[in-house]
Amino acid sequence: MVRLPLILAALGAALVLPAAAADATTSALASVSTVYSFPSGSFVENLAVRANGEILVTRTTSAELVLVDPRRPGCAAVVYNFTAAGLSGMTGIAEYAPDVFAVLAGDYHFGKSVGVGSWTVFSVDLRGVRLSKVGCRALAGGNLPRVRKVALVKESQLLNGLAPHGRYVLASDTFAGLVYRVDMAEGAYAVAINSTYLSKLATPHGVNGIRVVGDTLYFANSGQSILVKVPLAADGSAAGPYTVVAHNEGPAAHYDDFAVDAEGGIYAVTASANTLVRVSADGRTQTVVAGNWNSTDIAEGTSAAFGRTACDSHVLYVTTVGGLLGPINGTVIIPGALVSIETDSRGAAGLY
Ligand SMILES: *[C@@H]1O[C@H](CO)[C@@H](O)[C@H](O)[C@H]1NC(C)=O
Ligand SMILES: *[C@@H]1O[C@H](CO)[C@@H](O)[C@H](O)[C@H]1NC(C)=O
Ligand SMILES: *[C@@H]1O[C@H](CO)[C@@H](O)[C@H](O)[C@H]1NC(C)=O
Ligand SMILES: *[C@@H]1O[C@H](CO)[C@@H](O)[C@H](O)[C@H]1NC(C)=O
């Protein structure tokens, strides 16, 4: 177990944008609100919702894990700074025990390398930690976050999505086209799934977002433009046939991370198509819930997760990069953000 020096500090001033102007194509869609806008150039990558309603956010352009409160837009504090561990970016995050999160950090330089050989799984225990009620840019609650290095996955190329499965977390490797399992207690890891369904195509890459609901693994393969599900064995290997649930429109509109709802529907973001779609459980219908190609509402979404309190269990929280990779309709870039969308759905039970 490695304990890292603890650095807590507030983020710089938040840039809160007005909601995007409504137009004919967005007015029939769900409205989107900005919860927290990050500094320009932030590649906001993933999120995990805590049982207390607060939300953890990762960025590939920073090794600072950030905590925000959607009930208090603009409030944020850094939970932990992995920069001291020589790491520069973060990707997947998932709760693997009550209020204890697995997170991925690597030496990732946006647009340059993919962090080969540096991706590390950490455990962040937030029991007894919350955002301060007084100043909303600090932590409170009596405890400090307890951070533990679980495993350096030396062979990994770009660890990306993360999902708990029994004693393990599963981690997708987008460039290698693999899913690893990491034993959160022992730190041992191994390749759990190696299948052509995970393999990358040249653009943009292979297996991306992953979620486990019960004993089913859902995953997006961004390069192959598909959402897939497969039953899992206890060791994280595939225990049955792969089912392609849906196809996205094309490479620039690829599925990234997603949320599964209580009916088995999949809420997925679609990269430069700038939409949030809901794919029905049987895959037959795919409905645009929010955003469009011209809109900054879902400005290049990266991940989605449902709220967990009585007040927001129907609210979907989405991370966006603001068009950093593909500007909105080829022209507009806005700061990456955490946004919220009211839906008719609830998150699947047991997703956390
Ligand atoms: C995180 O650590 C890096 C390197 O020491 C530093 O530049 C950055 O300001 C730190 N972030 C915070 C929020 O303290
Ligand atoms: C994945 O499977 C392919 C094809 O069988 C094989 O060539 C490759 O070595 C495997 N990779 C790993 C990491 O097991
Ligand atoms: C985007 O906006 C332009 C200019 O208003 C319009 O001509 C075009 O049809 C819109 N495209 C889509 C896909 O909504
Ligand atoms: C692109 O999108 C922006 C932001 O929504 C809009 O103001 C602009 O008219 C659009 N331009 C084109 C060429 O569609």
Side-chain angles (χ1 to χ4, degrees):
M1 169 165 143
V2 174
R3 282 198 65 102
L4 299 167
L6 189 70
I7 304 167
L8 299 175
L11 286 173
L15 247 161
V16 181
L17 290 174
D23 62 33
T25 44
T26 55
S27 57
L29 301 172
S31 70
V32 177
S33 308
T34 301
V35 173
Y36 191 83
S37 199
F38 286 82
S40 293
S42 299
F43 194 106
V44 186
E45 168 66 11
N46 220 322
L47 75 165
V49 180
R50 297 180 71 188
N52 74 359
E54 295 172 349
I55 302 176
L56 290 156
V57 183
T58 66
R59 287 163 290 168
T60 65
T61 44
S62 168
E64 298 165 356
L65 178 62
V66 174
L67 185 62
V68 304
D69 188 338
R71 293 157 294 200
R72 294 184 293 165
C75 289
V78 173
V79 167
Y80 199 80
N81 189 350
F82 290 94
T83 316
L87 303 174
S88 53
M90 301 185 71
T91 53
I93 180 162
E95 185 177 22
Y96 73 94
D99 225 11
V100 187
F101 296 82
V103 297
L104 292 167
D107 190 17
Y108 182 93
H109 297 276
F110 184 67
K112 289 187 187 146
S113 87
V114 291
V116 175
S118 66
W119 290 98
T120 303
V121 181
F122 291 90
S123 168
V124 179
D125 184 344
L126 289 184
R127 288 174 294 177
V129 180
R130 56 169 169 74
L131 270 176
S132 170
K133 290 192 167 65
V134 191
C136 70
R137 295 181 175 277
L139 298 178
N143 278 341
L144 290 175
R146 276 142 292 165
V147 175
R148 178 171 63 90
K149 179 176 174 178
V150 176
L152 166 65
V153 184
K154 285 195 288 288
E155 301 82 357
S156 62
Q157 297 180 36
L158 173 55
L159 292 189
N160 189 335
L162 206 54
H165 180 57
R167 63 182 294 141
Y168 304 110
V169 295
L170 303 181
S172 63
D173 187 327
T174 297
F175 277 74
L178 298 168
V179 167
Y180 284 91
R181 67 159 186 260
V182 179
D183 184 319
M184 291 305 288
E186 310 279 331
Y189 66 87
V191 172
I193 309 180
N194 178 7
S195 153
T196 52
Y197 285 98
L198 308 179
S199 308
K200 69 172 177 178
L201 289 183
T203 311
H205 28 52
V207 60
N208 194 325
I210 61 174
R211 301 278 183 209
V212 175
V213 182
D215 284 326
T216 301
L217 173 70
Y218 291 79
F219 63 88
N221 185 316
S222 300
Q224 297 188 30
S225 291
I226 48 176
L227 274 171
V228 184
K229 62 179 180 179
V230 64
L232 285 178
D235 67 358
S237 61
Y242 291 81
T243 306
V244 176
V245 180
H247 295 260
N248 59 238
E249 281 173 16
H254 66 82
Y255 301 126
D256 199 325
D257 285 68
F258 53 88
V260 182
D261 71 27
E263 279 83 50
I266 302 169
Y267 281 87
V269 290
T270 62
S272 293
N274 303 318
T275 62
L276 171 71
V277 297
R278 182 179 185 271
V279 176
S280 61
D282 62 10
R284 293 218 175 103
T285 60
Q286 191 158 176
T287 315
V288 175
V289 177
N292 71 60
W293 190 71
N294 275 331
S295 166
T296 53
D297 276 0
I298 309 290
E300 242 190 336
T302 46
S303 190
F306 279 98
R308 295 174 65 181
T309 71
C311 298
D312 70 352
S313 60
H314 65 296
V315 174
L316 194 67
Y317 295 100
V318 170
T319 46
T320 69
V321 300
L324 213 50
L325 283 181
I328 315 309
N329 69 21
T331 61
V332 177
I333 300 177
I334 64 167
L338 176 70
V339 302
S340 66
I341 298 112
E342 309 235 342
T343 73
D344 299 327
S345 305
R346 298 260 181 296
L351 195 54
Y352 302 99

